[in-house]
Amino acid sequence: MASLVAENLSFGYDSPILENVTFSLNAGETLSIMGVSGSGKSTLLHILSSFLKPQSGVVKLLGKDIYQLPQSKLLALRRNEIGIIFQSHYLFLGFSAEENLEVASLLSNQKIDHELLSLFGILETLPLNVSALSGGQQQRLSIARILTKRPKIIFADEPTGNLDRETAFGVMELLFDYVRLTQSLLVFVTHDPILARKALHSYRLEHASLKSLE
């Protein structure tokens, strides 16, 4: 059974933003979505991650039809199984890297994973104030903070958009490694065609439809 299933998703206002979008993704797989600004990439990500109900269609995460779940079970799914990575790191400035991780650890009831921090190359930054970290270190810390709860499904909206290409590629390779190691799955939005093609499945959102990158 696929871990993520999207069936005939449609959404729009005066004109369609998404129309009959269908795909599925298994554990350990990655999927990228490209498209011009305003094409509906973030809308699709919000629908898949349970924050925006489609006007028609079905989203199943880990076998659960998420928009048919009671609110309590939907909140539990978000809290325990879904990780969302943003372009901005949303770290607590004025705090150390370790203190930022401790907040996430308390919220997820999980211990800080030093093996994960080592994988992301930020173990030695723990005592440092966030403001002393480079942009790449801050984003790696932000991603590690989100992955502390070991989500099975990861959504990322331009997760490296504020980084130079070399740093961005390094951060995404770490994220791909994490997905392979944990057999989670990743759906991410990007404007970089080279980065998009590094995903197992690569699509462009165009005229409200997903089209495979050739």
Side-chain angles (χ1 to χ4, degrees):
M1 178 186 296
S3 296
L4 187 161
V5 177
E7 296 178 350
N8 300 316
L9 298 180
S10 295
F11 189 88
Y13 297 104
D14 294 332
S15 59
I17 298 173
L18 303 171
E19 199 165 28
N20 298 320
V21 170
T22 297
F23 68 88
S24 63
L25 205 59
N26 297 313
E29 295 185 337
T30 55
L31 181 147
S32 65
I33 303 170
M34 290 189 65
V36 299
S37 296
S39 60
K41 304 183 300 298
S42 293
T43 298
L44 177 56
L45 218 57
H46 291 156
I47 289 173
L48 296 174
S49 57
S50 82
F51 288 96
L52 179 64
K53 187 175 181 179
Q55 290 168 339
S56 63
V58 173
V59 178
K60 293 181 181 179
L61 300 181
L62 305 175
K64 301 178 178 71
D65 185 340
I66 61 173
Y67 290 108
Q68 296 301 316
L69 289 176
Q71 187 67 11
S72 59
K73 291 189 176 182
L74 180 59
L75 290 174
L77 183 71
R78 288 176 186 163
R79 183 174 62 248
N80 300 321
E81 310 292 2
I82 298 173
I84 302 176
I85 300 169
F86 300 98
Q87 181 173 337
S88 298
H89 52 68
Y90 294 114
L91 297 170
F92 298 113
L93 301 178
F95 291 82
S96 70
E98 186 168 20
E99 288 168 332
N100 271 270
L101 290 168
E102 285 173 348
V103 171
S105 180
L106 286 171
L107 290 174
S108 64
N109 199 29
Q110 297 286 338
K111 293 182 179 179
I112 294 175
D113 189 337
H114 288 80
E115 185 178 345
L116 176 64
L117 300 181
S118 180
L119 172 67
F120 275 66
I122 54 173
L123 192 57
E124 72 283 357
T125 70
L126 291 184
L128 301 179
N129 191 288
V130 166
S131 60
L133 305 182
S134 69
Q137 288 174 322
Q138 288 181 347
Q139 190 65 340
R140 291 201 300 274
L141 174 63
S142 174
I143 293 172
R145 184 179 63 173
I146 291 163
L147 299 182
T148 294
K149 65 179 180 181
R150 294 284 178 171
K152 293 184 175 67
I153 300 174
I154 305 163
F155 298 104
D157 195 354
E158 289 281 349
T160 58
N162 291 329
L163 304 176
D164 63 82
R165 174 170 276 190
E166 182 178 355
T167 303
F169 276 40
V171 168
M172 288 304 297
E173 283 299 333
L174 290 171
L175 196 47
F176 290 154
D177 288 344
Y178 174 86
V179 169
R180 285 190 290 267
L181 285 170
T182 62
Q183 286 298 289
S184 51
L185 64 82
L186 169 67
V187 177
F188 68 99
V189 167
T190 181
H191 280 101
D192 191 316
I194 297 177
L195 191 56
R197 293 179 187 278
K198 288 183 176 290
L200 182 63
H201 308 282
S202 304
Y203 292 95
R204 177 182 296 277
L205 189 53
E206 188 175 290
H207 303 306
S209 298
L210 275 185
K211 300 178 181 179
S212 181
L213 287 181
E214 298 179 356

